[in-house]
Amino acid sequence: MRSKEELIQELSDMVFEMEDEEIVETAEEYVQAGYDVQDAIMEGLVDGMSRAGVLFAEEEYYVTDVLICSDALNEAMAVFKPLLLERKEEADQRHKIVLGTVEGDTHDIGKNLVKVMLEVGGFEVIDLGRDVPLDDFIDRALEEEAELIGLSALMTTTMTGMKTLIERLEERGIRDRFKVMIGGGAVSQYYCDEIGADGYSEDAIEAVALAKRLVGESEDEGES
Ligand code: B12
């Protein structure tokens, strides 16, 4: 049997090298070996995508290449997702979060990972998709009586939508009704503080801990 590290490295390489068909077999081998699926996602698939991102920035990879990398990531995710959902936490009260990538931004790989992890963590996720008009987040959150709004942005040109959304919540006198959490490659804790969002996390696993904290479920924050 191949080691966990070897398979994780192969998963990363297969995303990076656009092996969107062969990756399924490696993902299945990983699952059959009984290794932790979350590690394969974060240390394998996301790592491969980050490496592709470097070549994209250097213009060695084109949009079409990066799209095949993301296909490879999605193919492996299709193998991992059912296993993740098997360990879905059962909650007495299912907290609702309206999630999406902000207006003008079509990057949704990270947002989709956050969605799966939140579902595994026991949240009900209303996924609005990508390139979502800012008012849609607010209208839907009101309609669904969601407690959280989760915003993703990968570009410096679109992250400003997060600030605008918070301003609109304030203008409508409903800022206190929702906790706004943000993430995505373009943003940071600094930006979160600057725009008055309620929380930022740098990856999909941390996003779950953050969401729990924001709805007052986390142990270390106590009752709130
Ligand atoms: C894949 C990709 C694409 C794919 C998107 C496919 C898809 N369906 O998503 C394609 C090829 C279509 C694409 C298009 C473009 N892209 Co692009 N893309 C990328 C790339 C290489 C990887 C992004 C990614 O998926 N990373 C992997 C995921 C897992 O990471 P993540 O998204 O950051 O998510 C993690 C965390 O951030 C967090 N998270 C994410 N969302 C949220 C939300 C919440 C609430 C929380 C708590 C956490 C959280 O959890 C996730 C998992 O751990 C990045 C490079 C990079 N370094 O980011 C460029 C990048 C984002 N793209 C860029 C650009 C410029 C473009 C284009 C304009 C290119 C063009 N010339 O056409 C278009 C834009 C189209 C548009 N209007 O949106 C730039 C943005 C520059 C900037 N700073 O503004 C980047 C940074 C590349 C670069 N260095 O130049 N892109």
Side-chain angles (χ1 to χ4, degrees):
M1 199 198 324
R2 292 202 284 167
S3 74
K4 182 181 172 188
E5 290 68 31
E6 190 182 343
L7 289 170
I8 286 181
Q9 185 60 50
E10 189 164 289
L11 288 167
S12 168
D13 291 345
M14 285 177 146
V15 169
F16 179 60
E17 288 159 14
M18 301 173 244
E19 295 181 36
D20 59 332
E21 285 173 15
E22 299 85 341
I23 198 167
V24 173
E25 215 171 289
T26 306
E28 281 166 352
E29 184 181 341
Y30 186 91
V31 165
Q32 274 152 20
Y35 300 136
D36 185 74
V37 171
Q38 210 161 280
D39 292 342
I41 297 171
M42 301 311 293
E43 293 162 28
L45 306 182
V46 172
D47 180 70
M49 205 63 218
S50 306
R51 291 161 63 202
V54 174
L55 292 199
F56 187 50
E58 290 169 357
E59 296 180 0
E60 266 189 58
Y61 269 18
Y62 298 107
V63 167
T64 41
D65 299 322
V66 170
L67 280 175
I68 307 174
C69 295
S70 81
D71 284 346
L73 181 145
N74 288 331
E75 289 294 331
M77 272 308 286
V79 177
F80 295 144
K81 197 173 164 184
L83 264 110
L84 280 174
L85 292 176
E86 264 174 29
R87 20 183 244 216
K88 191 164 167 169
E89 290 172 30
E90 289 309 329
D92 299 341
Q93 189 204 350
R94 208 162 265 290
H95 299 282
K96 279 191 195 175
I97 173 164
V98 167
L99 180 71
T101 308
V102 297
E103 205 164 64
D105 201 322
T106 60
H107 296 90
D108 65 355
I109 300 169
K111 185 270 296 169
N112 291 340
L113 290 177
V114 171
K115 177 187 179 185
V116 175
M117 293 305 173
L118 284 170
E119 284 175 348
V120 173
F123 285 83
E124 182 177 337
V125 183
I126 297 126
D127 181 7
L128 302 187
R130 54 190 180 176
D131 189 12
V132 180
L134 301 179
D135 286 325
D136 286 9
F137 284 101
I138 302 175
D139 294 340
R140 204 54 196 281
L142 283 168
E143 204 178 294
E144 299 279 350
E145 296 183 351
E147 288 161 79
L148 293 161
I149 298 178
L151 305 171
S152 183
L154 270 286
M155 300 194 290
T156 44
T157 46
T158 55
M159 65 192 237
T160 48
M162 295 170 161
K163 181 169 188 269
T164 308
L165 187 140
I166 290 173
E167 286 165 359
R168 289 195 191 160
L169 287 172
E170 280 161 2
E171 281 159 22
R172 290 170 70 166
I174 51 173
R175 176 66 186 93
D176 293 344
R177 287 186 45 186
F178 308 104
K179 299 283 186 197
V180 179
M181 54 189 262
I182 66 167
V187 301
S188 60
Q189 183 61 52
Y190 178 82
Y191 187 65
C192 171
D193 296 340
E194 191 179 271
I195 66 171
D198 299 293
Y200 158 79
S201 97
E202 114 177 308
D203 67 48
I205 294 172
E206 267 301 304
V208 181
L210 169 65
K212 286 187 176 173
R213 243 182 0 251
L214 292 177
V215 296
E217 264 202 8
S218 130
E219 288 157 21
D220 46 87
E221 285 268 311
E223 309 294 320
S224 63

